[in-house]
Amino acid sequence: MINKVVESAMTAVADVRSGSTILVGGFGEAGSPATLLQALIEQGATDLTMVSNNVGYDDYGLAALIARGRVRKMICAFPNYAAGIAFRNRYLAGQIELELVPQGTLVERMRAAGAGLGGFFTPTGAETELSAGKETRVIDGVVQVLERPLKGDYALIRGKVADRWGNLTYWRAQRNFNPIMAMAATTTIAEVSEIVPLGAIDPDVIITPGPFIHRVTVCPRYNPT
Amino acid sequence: MINKVVESAMTAVADVRSGSTILVGGFGEAGSPATLLQALIEQGATDLTMVSNNVGYDDYGLAALIARGRVRKMICAFPNYAAGIAFRNRYLAGQIELELVPQGTLVERMRAAGAGLGGFFTPTGAETELSAGKETRVIDGVVQVLERPLKGDYALIRGKVADRWGNLTYWRAQRNFNPIMAMAATTTIAEVSEIVPLGAIDPDVIITPGPFIHRVTVCPRYNPT
Amino acid sequence: MEKRRLTKEEIALCIAREISEGACVNLGIGIPTLVARYLAGEREVMVHSENGIIGMGPPAAPDEVDLDIVDAGKRPVTLVKGAAIIDHATSFALVRGGHLDLAVLGALQVSEHGDIANWRIPGDAVPGVGGAMDLCAGAKRLVVAMTHTDRGGEPKIVAECTYPLTARRKVCTIYTDLAVIDVGPDGLHLREIAPGWTAGELRQLTGAPLHVEEPVPVIALHGGAVS
Amino acid sequence: MEKRRLTKEEIALCIAREISEGACVNLGIGIPTLVARYLAGEREVMVHSENGIIGMGPPAAPDEVDLDIVDAGKRPVTLVKGAAIIDHATSFALVRGGHLDLAVLGALQVSEHGDIANWRIPGDAVPGVGGAMDLCAGAKRLVVAMTHTDRGGEPKIVAECTYPLTARRKVCTIYTDLAVIDVGPDGLHLREIAPGWTAGELRQLTGAPLHVEEPVPVIALHGGAVS
């Protein structure tokens, strides 16, 4: 019997090795796998490359991981906001590397990795400093940049409902990066609000199908206090 | 008030011009916009380039369009089956052009067009006669082929339920190429089983959102007799 | 006619007027966000948010807050009837693929060629880009909402941008507190001007040549509930 | 031991044995389709169909037919509990992106390098490729199910394919009616042989050198309900 459900967030992240590249879903706090991130803090892996739209908030989750010096490099679109103080401090001290990627390119690079594509040409960022040094060519009169796939060793995502095969749904804009990151990692771990019996989710409303998911664990939505 | 619902399949296809490139959803007969195709036959446009996984069946829909000499070129993955007799006859007589594309590349080329990408590298078809003359390069040790976007002037698709904004759901494997083709054409026309009031479809279960759809019309599933 | 600059709300109203029914629009942070206020009424418009919402409604009232329903600035919002949720890849396919009829963005500078700089202030501590470059690259029509001059009174409309570029040759129209200016292949064209201002005065505050056809229409500030 | 060739069902059984619980597999047309029969029981396997089904079940009985639920050959099928529907782009992302643990395909020829030719017979009236090239390019593991020789008795396992290639260096294992042969970096390795056959006899029917370690195990045909 296929059963991807694991008992806790700690169990789910137990084998994450130092030096891993980890994709982290969510847009701000919406759809963020905050409990898995808290477990990762306890778990201890370090020298991590984290891929996420943002850099976390205050001193929990991704921000706490950064504050503790566990992140070597951040690949993201939008690290510059007041509550991203953990990242800012380390960045200004030269203690963390930043690869800034336009938001649409960031998600498309992960999709390319998940879809087995070797790269793609996009007009986004052409003739700007973010495409400096990258191969460009004019296609149909538009300058386009060649972007490479971005694959994770792990993806940590948040969903709404799952079954034991790993079929997943998402609640509203919790969805964001999560279904794409699910495709783009060697091991994808999902925290969800609820596990339901196999067959309880209508096949037409499943957003992420089982083969993209490796472990699922139930966690209430994490609300920092 | 936005209202993309039109009264009939004939109205929906009325402005299709000769020489157009038309994307046609469906995999075999599953999810095929058969009523829109019947309307296109009556409508009269000719010199068409049709993009579809298959080439139609017997003498209705896409096959009938081909049999009547209205299709200049077929871009597809799988035209070689007994009921594809209309295509076979014209192809063997040198009366129709064929661009054969691997199935995954076919759908990904349309996605690239819909997503505003200039092209992508794929391992599919590398070192085969289907990539002859195409740019290839070795990426991460794998030979990959550069494939170009494939855009339609029109897309004809089939869905299950729609609202007046053009939000769409699909029934089971009726889905196939339809949501991708919906993104990839200047004008996308959907035939559906039912129109429901705005707000009646849960935002989480909509597969194709309104901005990708331009016209919707209600048609019972077409069953050839 | 009293000589004055437009308020932010009035700039937003002017932009709202050019949005037609059925349009799919993305409204950036700042003045662009205000445009949503003037879209209500008979016109139905589909407001897109980068994080995968089509049919974004007004900000959420305290009792409506759902932390998973937020706008591009991560503020709780509502969904309108007809809203759809899509994933981030599809959301940016919509943006880059030309399915967005209009994007309204703020800017630090716009050049006479339609180049836009709006993502990075030289010397900023931490750079961030978000979805700005995608929106500029992909929207069918890109308009900018900004003040005509910066805090030091320097022109933000320039011959060549000196701030890092977001995209080249993409801006169609610039809405400022002093004017509405279209960007054409031959440079900037003054379409409308703020009440009481002359083209000559405007030229003094604009860092690139301006094509002017006199008489220049005054921006109409009636016909919309400017609050 | 009676000397005989395996039936199609027995080839399918051999392949089914190597599929482990939880695997996501794609079964091509012909002998590969038969593999599904031998997957039932305690093992749960997710069967993928190119047209966007994960969790494909047996063919539909007459009263179960839904013309929108079909397999890659367009025949009506059923869905199992836990099935999910995805669009074609996601379906081929799954295929090409290495999410398919195993693809089982028929072939016209397989070379000692693992090259496969299975999409086009030279001289065919109308060529068609379907999803064959994607499956070969992307599955984590590609195995071939075919007869050891063609109708004229000529080897289908060859030094170099003469039919148009589907993909290069992708086949991991070849299951025929005479043998199970693994493709290694140094060529073909005989893993198991049909009852009553000798390695010498097999070499006569194989168009490329075969590494053989005697004694060669005989293919076990018990342990599965071969119908």
Side-chain angles (χ1 to χ4, degrees):
Chain A
M1 195 180 89
I2 301 171
N3 188 6
K4 297 180 181 174
V5 180
V6 297
E7 62 188 6
S8 70
M10 273 310 294
T11 310
V13 302
D15 66 353
V16 174
R17 277 192 303 246
S18 293
S20 296
T21 295
I22 306 182
L23 317 179
V24 181
F27 182 80
E29 297 175 70
S32 161
T35 307
L36 290 173
L37 284 167
Q38 288 299 117
L40 191 60
I41 293 168
E42 280 190 61
Q43 191 264 5
T46 190
D47 191 32
L48 302 171
T49 295
M50 304 299 284
V51 183
S52 194
N53 190 65
N54 307 109
V55 292
Y57 292 82
D58 304 325
D59 188 38
Y60 65 94
L62 182 50
L65 207 58
I66 292 168
R68 283 158 181 71
R70 306 261 292 280
V71 181
R72 185 181 68 74
K73 181 179 180 181
M74 193 72 227
I75 302 177
C76 68
F78 201 73
N80 52 325
Y81 48 95
I85 187 165
F87 177 81
R88 188 164 60 250
N89 289 342
R90 293 196 82 83
Y91 180 72
L92 296 180
Q95 294 166 329
I96 192 168
E97 195 182 332
L98 170 64
E99 181 179 341
L100 192 66
V101 183
Q103 200 174 140
T105 299
L106 183 65
V107 72
E108 193 65 22
R109 285 179 61 193
M110 290 186 279
R111 182 186 178 276
L117 303 175
F120 56 90
F121 283 99
T122 176
T124 298
E127 302 180 89
T128 74
E129 62 182 65
L130 290 190
S131 63
K134 293 185 177 176
E135 179 178 338
T136 61
R137 66 172 73 175
V138 177
I139 301 175
D140 297 335
V142 178
V143 185
Q144 310 227 20
V145 184
L146 179 61
E147 293 284 357
R148 297 296 315 280
L150 177 55
K151 190 177 162 83
D153 296 305
Y154 289 85
L156 308 183
I157 67 167
R158 171 99 198 163
K160 179 187 172 197
V161 167
D163 62 29
R164 62 180 175 80
W165 278 25
N167 291 308
L168 233 71
T169 67
Y170 303 89
W171 168 251
R172 301 299 188 242
Q174 169 190 75
R175 191 182 304 187
N176 60 66
F177 283 88
N178 288 300
I180 307 304
M181 289 180 171
M183 298 166 61
T186 306
T187 302
T188 295
I189 307 171
E191 59 166 77
V192 298
S193 300
E194 192 188 356
I195 305 278
V196 296
L198 197 69
I201 316 175
D202 179 347
D204 286 352
V205 311
I206 290 166
I207 299 297
T208 296
F212 295 149
I213 300 289
H214 303 91
R215 298 171 200 160
V216 186
T217 188
V218 175
C219 308
R221 192 186 200 284
Y222 182 88
N223 289 309
T225 47
Chain B
M1 194 180 89
I2 301 171
N3 189 5
K4 297 180 180 174
V5 180
V6 298
E7 63 188 7
S8 70
M10 274 310 295
T11 310
V13 301
D15 65 353
V16 175
R17 275 192 304 246
S18 292
S20 296
T21 294
I22 306 182
L23 317 179
V24 181
F27 182 81
E29 298 176 67
S32 161
T35 307
L36 290 172
L37 284 167
Q38 288 298 116
L40 191 60
I41 293 168
E42 281 191 61
Q43 190 263 5
T46 189
D47 192 32
L48 302 171
T49 295
M50 305 298 283
V51 183
S52 193
N53 189 63
N54 307 108
V55 292
Y57 292 81
D58 304 326
D59 190 36
Y60 64 94
L62 183 51
L65 207 59
I66 291 169
R68 283 158 179 71
R70 306 260 292 281
V71 181
R72 184 180 70 72
K73 181 178 180 180
M74 193 71 227
I75 302 178
C76 67
F78 200 72
N80 52 325
Y81 48 95
I85 187 165
F87 177 82
R88 188 164 61 248
N89 288 343
R90 293 196 81 85
Y91 180 72
L92 295 180
Q95 294 167 330
I96 192 167
E97 196 182 330
L98 170 64
E99 181 178 341
L100 192 66
V101 184
Q103 201 174 139
T105 299
L106 183 64
V107 71
E108 193 65 22
R109 286 178 60 192
M110 290 186 279
R111 182 184 179 276
L117 302 175
F120 57 90
F121 283 99
T122 177
T124 299
E127 303 179 272
T128 74
E129 63 181 63
L130 290 189
S131 63
K134 292 185 177 176
E135 178 177 337
T136 62
R137 68 171 72 173
V138 177
I139 300 175
D140 297 334
V142 178
V143 185
Q144 309 227 20
V145 184
L146 179 61
E147 293 284 356
R148 297 295 315 280
L150 175 56
K151 190 178 161 86
D153 297 306
Y154 289 85
L156 309 183
I157 68 167
R158 170 99 198 162
K160 179 187 173 198
V161 167
D163 62 29
R164 63 180 174 80
W165 278 25
N167 290 310
L168 234 71
T169 68
Y170 303 88
W171 168 251
R172 302 299 189 240
Q174 169 191 76
R175 190 182 306 186
N176 59 66
F177 284 88
N178 288 300
I180 307 304
M181 289 180 170
M183 299 166 59
T186 306
T187 302
T188 295
I189 307 171
E191 59 167 77
V192 297
S193 300
E194 192 187 356
I195 304 279
V196 296
L198 197 68
I201 315 176
D202 179 346
D204 286 352
V205 311
I206 290 166
I207 299 296
T208 296
F212 295 148
I213 300 290
H214 303 92
R215 298 170 200 161
V216 186
T217 188
V218 175
C219 308
R221 192 185 200 285
Y222 182 87
N223 289 311
T225 48
Chain C
M1 191 160 45
E2 187 201 358
K3 178 175 176 176
R4 67 180 185 90
R5 290 173 180 255
L6 269 59
T7 62
K8 288 179 180 181
E9 286 76 12
E10 287 167 335
I11 298 173
L13 169 66
C14 292
I15 294 171
R17 281 195 193 123
E18 78 154 69
I19 300 176
S20 52
E21 176 149 281
C24 182
V25 305
N26 184 293
L27 306 173
I29 293 169
I31 301 174
T33 302
L34 300 174
V35 173
R37 291 196 202 170
Y38 306 104
L39 293 175
E42 63 272 38
R43 264 178 312 174
E44 268 190 341
V45 170
M46 296 180 280
V47 180
H48 168 259
S49 180
E50 288 98 305
N51 53 321
I53 298 174
I54 299 165
M56 185 169 67
D63 63 339
E64 290 177 318
V65 169
D66 179 329
L67 295 175
D68 286 320
I69 306 179
V70 299
D71 66 10
K74 285 91 180 176
R75 289 173 298 261
V77 291
T78 53
L79 302 181
V80 300
K81 255 193 197 182
I85 299 295
I86 53 180
D87 66 47
H88 233 86
T90 307
S91 180
F92 278 87
L94 184 146
V95 167
R96 227 176 15 230
H99 308 279
L100 205 55
D101 296 296
L102 181 73
V104 185
L105 294 177
L108 299 165
Q109 289 179 327
V110 178
S111 86
E112 62 177 329
H113 315 292
D115 299 349
I116 174 172
N118 78 343
W119 72 281
R120 178 162 202 185
I121 303 163
D124 49 1
V126 179
V129 63
M133 288 186 180
D134 303 279
L135 286 161
C136 292
K140 274 187 200 159
R141 195 172 145 71
L142 174 66
V143 309
V144 163
M146 65 179 190
T147 55
H148 205 88
T149 52
D150 67 18
R151 284 175 193 178
E154 292 300 310
K156 293 172 69 172
I157 300 173
V158 294
E160 294 291 345
C161 295
T162 53
Y163 288 169
L165 284 184
T166 308
R168 276 202 192 277
R169 297 177 189 274
K170 285 294 179 184
V171 177
C172 300
T173 302
I174 311 164
Y175 290 85
T176 77
D177 49 348
L178 294 183
V180 179
I181 294 170
D182 292 312
V183 183
D186 59 343
L188 306 171
H189 291 256
L190 180 60
R191 191 205 296 178
E192 292 178 334
I193 195 163
W197 289 75
T198 67
E201 290 168 328
L202 196 69
R203 281 198 170 106
Q204 297 296 318
L205 300 175
T206 305
L210 210 52
H211 295 278
V212 176
E213 200 169 320
E214 298 279 3
V216 182
V218 174
I219 297 172
L221 296 172
H222 50 78
V226 178
S227 60
Chain D
M1 191 157 47
E2 188 201 359
K3 179 175 176 177
R4 67 179 184 90
R5 289 173 180 256
L6 270 58
T7 61
K8 289 179 178 180
E9 286 76 11
E10 288 168 334
I11 298 173
L13 168 66
C14 292
I15 295 171
R17 281 195 193 124
E18 80 153 69
I19 301 175
S20 53
E21 176 149 278
C24 183
V25 305
N26 185 293
L27 306 173
I29 293 170
I31 301 174
T33 302
L34 299 176
V35 174
R37 292 197 201 169
Y38 305 105
L39 293 175
E42 64 273 35
R43 266 176 309 172
E44 269 191 339
V45 170
M46 296 181 280
V47 180
H48 167 259
S49 180
E50 289 97 305
N51 53 320
I53 298 174
I54 299 165
M56 185 168 68
D63 63 339
E64 292 177 318
V65 169
D66 179 329
L67 296 175
D68 285 322
I69 305 179
V70 299
D71 67 10
K74 284 90 179 177
R75 289 173 298 263
V77 291
T78 53
L79 301 181
V80 300
K81 256 192 195 180
I85 299 294
I86 53 180
D87 66 46
H88 234 85
T90 307
S91 180
F92 278 87
L94 184 146
V95 168
R96 226 177 15 230
H99 308 280
L100 205 55
D101 296 296
L102 181 73
V104 185
L105 294 177
L108 299 164
Q109 289 179 328
V110 177
S111 85
E112 63 177 327
H113 315 293
D115 299 350
I116 174 172
N118 78 343
W119 71 282
R120 181 163 200 186
I121 303 163
D124 52 359
V126 178
V129 63
M133 289 185 181
D134 304 278
L135 286 162
C136 292
K140 273 187 202 162
R141 193 172 148 72
L142 174 65
V143 309
V144 163
M146 65 180 190
T147 54
H148 205 88
T149 52
D150 67 17
R151 284 175 193 178
E154 292 301 310
K156 294 172 72 173
I157 300 174
V158 295
E160 295 291 343
C161 295
T162 53
Y163 288 169
L165 284 184
T166 309
R168 273 199 195 278
R169 296 175 189 274
K170 285 294 179 183
V171 177
C172 300
T173 301
I174 312 165
Y175 290 85
T176 78
D177 49 349
L178 295 182
V180 180
I181 295 170
D182 292 311
V183 183
D186 59 343
L188 305 172
H189 290 256
L190 180 59
R191 191 204 297 177
E192 291 178 336
I193 195 162
W197 289 75
T198 67
E201 289 168 328
L202 196 70
R203 281 200 169 104
Q204 297 296 318
L205 299 174
T206 305
L210 210 53
H211 295 278
V212 177
E213 200 168 321
E214 298 281 5
V216 182
V218 174
I219 297 171
L221 295 171
H222 50 77
V226 178
S227 58

